Amino acid sequence: MAEAAGADVELIQFLYSPYNEKVRWALDWKRVPHRRRSLLPGPHLPYLKKRSGQTQTPVLRIDGEYVAGSATILDTIEQRWPEPALLPAAGGERRLILDIQRRFDEDWGPRMRRALLAPIIDDSAYFAAVFGADHPGYVQNLYRWTVPFARPLIRKANGIADRASIDDGIVAADEAFSFVARRAQDGGGYLISRRFTLADLVACAHLAIFAEPRHPDTLRPRPTPAALEYQVARWQAHAGSVWVREIYRRHRPTPIAD
């Protein structure tokens, strides 16, 4: 932990994003002091392009060096701050954990995001409140008026093409919640090895958008649009959703600021 204390670490993030929550959780789990810089979708593009050569969050700056992509960042964190470990160094369990991460990051995660974003993007004021929560009120108000102009780009970037694309996100959430419920039941409460690993962290970070655990890094502004409440209510009583909230309660530390 001496190295962690001496490093200059900044997480450049969207406040509400499973990919960013993965990194926040790993940093807090390993008790790495860090700062967080929350960007607004849209205005973030030139800021990230200049610093990291790409335009997606999260980006982690460590001692002036930028690392992009949640999976790459998690690997970097695990190598630089190996304790407490989230991932075996080698072997079949490591491969299985990384396979679960890929499935959430590349399949279920992007599809579920459509079902969550669709009702949010249709409400400009709420969209600005969600993504601008770390910004002053006047910034949120200004940002609110830009949302209608950015809405077509946001829809396109997230694959929200029609009702079928939103329904597919609902199917993905059903698949993902059923997957974790089944594996947790067979694995003594965890997805791998009967202990908390990166697989649990990744799955819970993605599913938190619907499970709504009571953690300060996942709470959305209230009141929420009725269409969003309807989407979230689908899975509140699901065994997988109950599992997500329990893992958060047991294994999600409070934020550790620099």
Side-chain angles (χ1 to χ4, degrees), residues 188-207:
Y190 298 99
L191 300 185
I192 305 289
S193 304
R194 297 181 178 271
R195 62 183 178 84
F196 181 72
T197 69
L198 184 68
D200 304 289
L201 182 155
V202 168
C204 289
H206 277 283
L207 291 170

Side-chain angles (χ1 to χ4, degrees), residues 60-224:
L60 194 67
R61 184 180 61 80
I62 307 176
D63 294 333
E65 297 292 326
Y66 291 90
V67 183
S70 63
T72 303
I73 292 171
L74 289 176
D75 185 59
T76 300
I77 291 172
E78 189 72 7
Q79 291 182 42
R80 183 150 185 171
W81 297 287
E83 297 297 335
L86 286 168
L87 191 64
E93 285 188 358
R94 178 186 178 91
R95 289 191 294 272
L96 183 53
I97 290 169
L98 293 178
D99 282 344
I100 291 173
Q101 175 171 235
R102 277 190 292 271
R103 190 165 187 185
F104 273 96
D105 284 357
E106 299 174 13
D107 180 16
W108 286 327
R111 293 165 62 201
M112 290 191 296
R113 185 169 54 196
R114 298 172 197 152
L116 180 80
L117 271 180
I120 294 178
I121 190 59
D122 285 337
D123 188 322
S124 298
Y126 190 73
F127 188 90
V130 166
F131 288 98
D134 273 1
H135 296 266
Y138 76 91
V139 173
Q140 293 184 37
N141 289 332
L142 289 173
Y143 185 57
R144 171 184 177 180
W145 297 108
T146 72
V147 173
F149 301 100
R151 188 175 290 138
L153 295 175
I154 296 171
R155 287 180 176 276
K156 182 177 180 180
N158 289 280
I160 305 173
D162 50 23
R163 182 67 226 183
S165 62
I166 299 170
D167 289 343
D168 180 64
I170 295 170
V171 171
D174 281 331
E175 293 172 353
F177 275 121
S178 296
F179 171 81
V180 299
R182 183 174 61 254
R183 286 202 67 97
Q185 183 178 30
D186 294 342
Y190 298 99
L191 300 185
I192 305 289
S193 304
R194 297 181 178 271
R195 62 183 178 84
F196 181 72
T197 69
L198 184 68
D200 304 289
L201 182 155
V202 168
C204 289
H206 277 283
L207 291 170
I209 61 176
F210 293 120
E212 293 198 313
R214 303 294 297 177
H215 188 276
D217 281 347
T218 63
L219 295 177
R220 286 188 292 269
R222 294 292 194 270
T224 58

Side-chain angles (χ1 to χ4, degrees), residues 1-70:
M1 293 302 294
E3 182 181 6
D8 179 23
V9 181
E10 180 182 53
L11 173 61
I12 304 169
Q13 64 170 358
F14 287 156
L15 189 58
Y16 292 96
S17 161
Y19 299 90
N20 292 274
E21 170 62 3
K22 286 167 54 181
V23 176
R24 291 192 296 258
W25 193 335
L27 290 169
D28 292 338
W29 176 256
K30 292 173 181 290
R31 310 311 290 163
V32 179
H34 62 282
R35 299 182 303 282
R36 299 175 181 177
R37 182 187 299 270
S38 297
L39 304 182
L40 296 171
H44 80 287
L45 293 170
Y47 184 91
L48 284 185
K49 186 69 173 179
K50 178 180 178 180
R51 289 160 176 81
S52 66
Q54 55 87 63
T55 58
Q56 294 183 327
T57 64
V59 171
L60 194 67
R61 184 180 61 80
I62 307 176
D63 294 333
E65 297 292 326
Y66 291 90
V67 183
S70 63

